[in-house]
């Protein structure tokens, strides 16, 4: 059943959050495409994002883009947010999205230990992370020193100011899925014995410092979105926060440091975050808890409009068919979130939002593996 039986009007109300001026509540979720040779987004990347903006999405959150650190990641085809040619490529993407009435923010990304031992980009540079541990616990590269941490903070700030200077409408920090910032939060990948490790408060310190440094550099009005997750690439059942109180310990200092919008990444938007709690508390999703605890505008995400879940980037990844968004609309009516990020459904169907608005959901294009491998 693909037809939505409830009114969708609420999701088409505009919203302004500082520099972000969205015509509706739909965001394109950040999705790595690796179609930018030497880190430079070309005309095909501009056309790809333009098509989604023309298809009615309010905000595009770009694929993960590298911050200027030599040990940022392994891939030469992931776009960068530094260097004249990469920034010129992004400027053309930004202009195209604005021409179509959309807003766009880059997702700033550093992989930390997930860069791995054999990177293609800067192979002579050692991989660095909080404790020199990959997500599966195996040693990789080396732990950060205090001066590494200073340089790293500067790299995030440089990427954010580059984004502002070429006309992006804000930035999103990739603090999810087990990459660098999340490696600080997770007790499996952060076993540091200095003030950046130990308690949950201490593990939150570096992410908070990055946010504060960006806020100071970009000014008060430039929107900062922060993406986080309980799950990791190799552990869908992992948890940073075991309870709402622990979630507060992580989120409140981030908000105090300058985050404007929180983006909890879940794989199914309707799943309870703390199902062990009694009553309604046990039903609330991670977006609902995030909004309840912080009061900040919050983005929900995960299998919106699709009948099967996002899994790791394997070629066997399943196809997924369109389904209705009734549960999402009920949660929205309950005030559990403010924005909705749509991932795979927008890969297969650039006009997904337009078709929803016009009641043409029967025309939504099913998601297939090839959509992951094509830039169309
Ligand atoms: C091809 C692909 C690439 C992705 N790359 C990123 C990424 O760069 N950064 C990120 O935070 N999430 C990434 N994700 C996760 C999505 O942002 C989104 O959270 C996930 O696909 C669930 O949403 P969906 O069910 O609507 O697809 C990626 C997902 C896919 C399918």
């Amino acid at each position: 059943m693909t037809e939505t039986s409830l009114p969708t009007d609420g999701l088409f109300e505009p919203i302004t959050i500082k520099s972000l001026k969205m015509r509706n509540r739909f965001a394109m979720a950040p999705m790595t495409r690796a179609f930018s040779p030497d880190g430079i987004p070309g005309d095909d990347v501009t056309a790809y994002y333009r098509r989604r903006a023309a298809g009615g999405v309010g905000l595009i959150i770009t694929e993960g883009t590298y911050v200027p650190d030599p040990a940022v990641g392994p891939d030469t085809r992931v776009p960068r947010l530094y260097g004249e040619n990469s920034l010129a490529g992004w400027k053309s993407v930004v202009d195209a999205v604005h021409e179509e009435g959309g807003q766009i923010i880059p997702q700033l990304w550093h992989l930390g230990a997930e860069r791995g031992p054999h990177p293609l980009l800067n192979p002579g540079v050692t991989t660095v992370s909080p404790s020199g541990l990959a997500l599966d616990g195996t040693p990789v590269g080396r732990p950060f020193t205090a001066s590494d941490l200073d340089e790293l903070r500067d790299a995030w700030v440089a990427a954010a100011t580059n984004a502002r200077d070429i006309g992006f409408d804000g930035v999103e920090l990739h603090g999810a899925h087990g990459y660098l910032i999340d490696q600080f939060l997770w007790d499996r990948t952060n076993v540091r014995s200095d003030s950046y490790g130990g308690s949950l408060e201490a593990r939150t310190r570096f992410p908070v410092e990055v946010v504060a440094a960006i806020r100071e550099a970009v000014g008060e009005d430039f929107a900062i979105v922060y993406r986080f997750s309980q799950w990791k690439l190799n552990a869908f059942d992992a948890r940073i926060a075991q309870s709402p109180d622990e979630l507060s310990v992580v989120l409140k200092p981030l908000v105090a440091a300058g985050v404007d919008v929180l983006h909890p990444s879940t794989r199914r938007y309707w799943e309870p975050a703390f199902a062990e709690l009694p009553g309604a508390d046990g039903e609330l999703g991670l977006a609902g808890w995030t909004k309840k605890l912080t009061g900040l505008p919050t983005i929900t995400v995960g299998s919106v409009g699709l009948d099967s879940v996002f899994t790791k980037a394997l070629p066997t990844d399943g196809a997924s068919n369109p389904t209705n968004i009734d549960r999402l609309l009920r949660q929205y009516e309950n005030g559990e979130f403010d924005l909705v990020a749509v991932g795979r459904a927008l890969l297969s169907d650039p006009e997904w939002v337009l078709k929803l608005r016009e009641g043409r959901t029967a025309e939504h294009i099913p998601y297939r593996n090839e959509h992951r491998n094509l830039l169309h």
Side-chain angles (χ1 to χ4, degrees):
M1 182 63 191
T2 64
E3 268 165 54
T4 294
S5 57
L6 300 167
T8 58
D9 312 15
L11 291 175
F12 288 95
E13 282 168 13
I15 183 170
T16 295
I17 305 162
K18 291 192 176 173
S19 55
L20 271 185
K21 297 175 177 58
M22 292 174 59
R23 59 187 159 184
N24 60 43
R25 305 307 177 97
F26 290 99
M28 178 175 179
M31 285 178 286
T32 289
R33 310 311 316 277
F35 280 101
S36 298
D38 297 322
I40 302 166
D43 292 347
D44 51 349
V45 175
T46 297
Y48 160 81
Y49 284 118
R50 178 192 285 278
R51 218 169 282 134
R52 271 75 192 169
V57 79
L59 169 67
I60 285 171
I61 306 172
T62 72
E63 61 203 288
T65 62
Y66 284 168
V67 304
D69 179 69
V72 62
D75 200 323
T76 59
R77 291 173 61 90
V78 164
R80 302 172 198 164
L81 209 46
Y82 57 91
E84 205 177 317
N85 292 339
S86 294
L87 293 177
W90 277 124
K91 171 102 177 60
S92 120
V93 173
V94 169
D95 291 346
V97 169
H98 286 162
E99 276 166 28
E100 302 297 341
Q103 297 272 282
I104 180 165
I105 62 177
Q107 188 187 50
L108 314 188
W109 192 21
H110 190 303
L111 284 84
E114 287 308 289
R115 176 173 179 256
H118 305 296
L120 291 174
L121 180 64
N122 301 328
V125 174
T126 306
T127 290
V128 280
S129 64
S131 297
L133 296 173
L135 293 181
D136 63 4
T138 55
V140 57
R142 64 176 174 83
F144 288 116
T145 62
S147 67
D148 286 329
L149 288 180
D150 290 340
E151 282 172 23
L152 201 67
R153 231 178 275 115
D154 293 346
W156 286 83
V157 170
T161 52
N162 287 344
R164 183 199 55 188
D165 293 348
I166 58 172
F168 277 107
D169 302 296
V171 284
E172 173 170 287
L173 276 62
H174 195 341
H177 306 167
Y179 295 112
L180 176 78
I181 287 190
D182 201 24
Q183 287 158 25
F184 274 89
L185 289 175
W186 204 27
D187 56 8
R188 302 257 187 99
T189 44
N190 181 351
V191 296
R192 294 179 73 99
S193 52
D194 62 6
S195 57
Y196 292 95
S199 68
L200 189 55
E201 287 88 339
R203 284 183 271 128
T204 309
R205 180 172 168 194
F206 185 72
V208 167
E209 287 182 357
V210 170
V211 171
I214 291 178
R215 173 55 71 213
E216 196 185 338
V218 297
E220 265 314 303
D221 190 54
F222 195 62
I224 299 178
V225 182
Y226 187 93
R227 192 174 222 210
F228 68 97
S229 66
Q230 297 271 42
W231 65 271
K232 315 297 156 218
L233 281 175
N234 70 333
F236 289 142
D237 57 354
R239 275 186 176 191
I240 296 290
Q242 305 295 337
S243 64
D245 284 349
E246 288 193 0
L247 190 59
S248 273
V249 167
V250 174
L251 297 183
K252 290 204 167 147
L254 288 167
V255 174
V259 168
D260 299 303
V261 180
L262 285 160
H263 186 180
S265 168
T266 55
R267 295 165 62 239
R268 300 176 182 88
Y269 68 82
W270 59 90
E271 267 183 3
F274 303 105
E276 63 281 8
L277 297 179
D281 280 356
E283 287 166 24
L284 200 56
L286 194 58
W289 274 110
T290 298
K291 191 168 176 194
K292 182 170 161 165
L293 294 170
T294 65
L296 237 55
T298 298
I299 308 178
T300 195
V301 66
S303 305
V304 172
L306 293 178
D307 71 355
S308 62
V309 74
F310 163 76
T311 49
K312 211 176 161 185
L314 297 171
T316 50
D317 258 4
S320 200
N321 290 317
T323 184
N324 73 50
I325 58 165
D326 283 354
R327 280 182 294 198
L328 187 81
L329 290 162
R330 279 194 290 272
Q331 289 180 335
Y332 184 65
E333 283 305 303
N334 289 342
E336 294 178 25
F337 60 84
D338 303 273
L339 308 173
V340 183
V342 179
R344 291 164 299 152
L346 274 169
L347 287 188
S348 55
D349 195 341
E351 296 195 323
W352 190 90
V353 174
L354 209 56
K355 289 176 182 172
L356 179 74
R357 195 181 73 200
E358 295 172 355
R360 295 190 286 130
T361 50
E363 296 171 33
H364 275 154
I365 301 170
Y367 176 74
R368 299 288 176 254
N369 278 335
E370 60 265 26
H371 294 124
R372 175 168 278 184
N373 304 321
L374 286 175
L375 194 71
H376 75 108

